[in-house]
Structures are given as structure tokens and as C-alpha cells.
């Protein structure tokens, strides 16, 4: 192959790469997500109030608080069933690009935790908010948000 033919072939291939790469690198629109369950588990041995605000396109579509009872004094490990539990009700169940904000009553909104469901491409999400951690020292009541996309629709 002559150097002139090789040059034209390279120009043709390389000239088309930006257009092809641009199509491959742009992020597709994610599917709207349905919130299947929204619960709180309290691993701390003190009661807490947990606030949840759900926004969609910067508009608040849900704002509620749940009083969560303390964990049993005997609850010391994962899965022993003695944790305090609370359930949020009447949150939006239609699919959407939701952002979930959660914070404890003793915290300010500046210390809230956030889960952006729009960052994932799943049809549904089960969301659990945890207060404390059984693997941490007593009195460490940090808030965390957990999610799974393996939704159980039988509950």
C-alpha cells in the first residue's frame, strides 16, 4: 500500500472517531425509579427522630419525620432482631428521578445524607435509613442511607 493510500485510510478512520466516540461516551437518560419501601432502623440505644425530604427536579414532593424507638438493650449484633424500626408512609410511589435527603432531629439540614436515585438506572429501589451501626461504639448515632434495587413486591 502506498504511503498516500495509507494516509487517506488513516484520515478516514481517525476523522470518524470523534463522532463515534461522542455517541459512545454520552450518558443515556436513566429510567425513572419507583420507591418501593422507605424504612428506618435504629441501632442506637436511644430513640431518634428521623426526617426525610424527597425532591424531584428541585421541588419538594415529600417531607415527613418518624419517631424511631431505641434498640433493645440486648441488641448487640447484626441480624439479632432487636433494633428500633420506623416506616415512612405516603411517600411518592410513581416512578421519578427522586433525590432523598435524611437527617436526625438533633442535626441540622447541613448534616443530612443524600441519595440521588436519578444517578442509577433501575426501575425500583428499596431504601433504608440507618441510625448508628452495631459495629461502632455505643453513642455513635451517625446516619446513613442504604439502598437495594432488588425490590420485593410481595410485602
Amino acid at each position: 500500500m502506498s504511503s498516500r493510500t495509507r494516509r487517506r485510510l488513516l484520515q478516514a478512520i481517525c476523522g470518524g472517531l470523534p463522532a463515534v466516540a461522542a455517541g459512545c461516551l454520552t450518558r443515556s437518560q436513566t429510567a425513572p425509579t419507583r420507591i418501593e419501601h422507605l424504612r428506618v432502623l435504629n441501632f442506637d440505644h436511644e430513640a431518634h427522630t428521623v426526617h426525610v425530604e424527597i425532591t424531584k427536579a428541585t421541588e419538594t414532593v415529600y417531607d415527613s419525620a418518624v419517631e424511631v424507638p431505641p434498640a433493645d438493650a440486648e441488641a448487640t449484633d447484626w441480624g439479632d432482631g432487636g433494633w428500633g424500626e420506623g416506616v415512612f408512609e405516603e411517600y411518592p410511589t410513581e416512578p421519578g428521578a427522586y433525590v432523598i435527603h435524611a437527617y436526625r432531629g438533633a442535626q441540622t439540614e447541613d448534616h443530612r445524607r443524600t441519595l440521588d436515585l436519578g444517578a442509577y438506572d433501575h426501575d425500583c429501589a428499596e431504601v433504608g435509613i440507618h441510625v448508628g451501626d452495631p459495629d461502632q461504639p455505643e453513642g455513635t448515632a451517625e446516619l446513613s442511607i442504604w439502598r437495594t434495587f432488588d425490590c420485593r413486591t410481595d410485602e
Side-chain angles (χ1 to χ4, degrees), residues 59-93:
E59 177 186 338
T60 299
V61 295
Y62 181 78
D63 192 3
S64 187
V66 170
E67 297 287 331
V68 189
D72 293 340
E74 297 83 34
T76 59
D77 202 3
W78 289 101
D80 65 9
W83 309 118
E85 184 176 4
V87 178
F88 286 93
E89 298 177 351
E90 299 181 23
Y91 51 86
T93 56

Side-chain angles (χ1 to χ4, degrees), residues 119-139:
Y120 304 95
D121 192 14
H122 291 279
D123 293 334
C124 68
E126 292 183 8
V127 179
I129 299 164
H130 292 183
V131 178
D133 181 339
D135 294 330
Q136 297 297 319
E138 181 68 30

Side-chain angles (χ1 to χ4, degrees), residues 10-41:
L10 285 173
Q11 286 175 339
I13 292 171
C14 293
L17 278 178
V20 172
C24 293
L25 298 177
T26 58
R27 184 175 172 195
S28 63
Q29 190 70 15
T30 58
T33 304
R34 181 182 75 256
I35 301 170
E36 194 69 31
H37 299 285
L38 184 55
R39 298 179 179 159
V40 181
L41 285 179

